[in-house]
Amino acid sequence: MKEAVVVSAVRTAVERPARDSEGYTFPMTFAAMVIKEAFARAPGLKMEDVDDITLGCAFPESDQGLNLGRVVAMRAGFPHTVPGPRP
């Protein structure tokens, strides 16, 4: 990658589900939804044109301790040729 380019931005709500609710979403699934929406807002951009996806989290344990970039890339529908390196 020679340069980074921001083509869109997506913001999510920050709220915990109620204690007895079934509203919990795994972090990787939530991140994949965000990336899909970012691509929907960037017409003409193809998933195979992305050089890599790098994601991280401030508190990497349990469900978030995996290689987020790669897991989210696969869940978002990116081709296997798009890497998700560990930050």
Side-chain angles (χ1 to χ4, degrees):
M1 177 170 63
K2 295 182 180 181
E3 65 181 70
V5 179
V6 177
V7 295
S8 71
V10 178
R11 184 171 176 168
T12 62
V14 179
E15 184 176 341
R16 291 180 182 233
R19 180 172 275 221
D20 295 332
S21 78
E22 296 179 12
Y24 180 76
T25 302
F26 285 104
M28 292 85 61
T29 303
F30 198 57
M33 289 188 288
V34 169
I35 289 177
K36 282 182 184 180
E37 179 59 27
F39 265 83
R41 296 179 184 191
L45 183 62
K46 298 176 187 169
M47 288 186 169
E48 55 270 8
D49 292 336
V50 174
D51 289 330
D52 64 40
I53 295 175
T54 301
L55 294 175
C57 60
F59 200 50
E61 60 180 49
S62 184
D63 298 328
Q64 296 182 22
L66 302 171
N67 186 355
L68 285 180
R70 185 66 176 162
V71 173
V72 171
M74 295 296 98
R75 286 190 179 206
F78 281 84
H80 291 283
T81 56
V82 176
R86 237 175 235 264

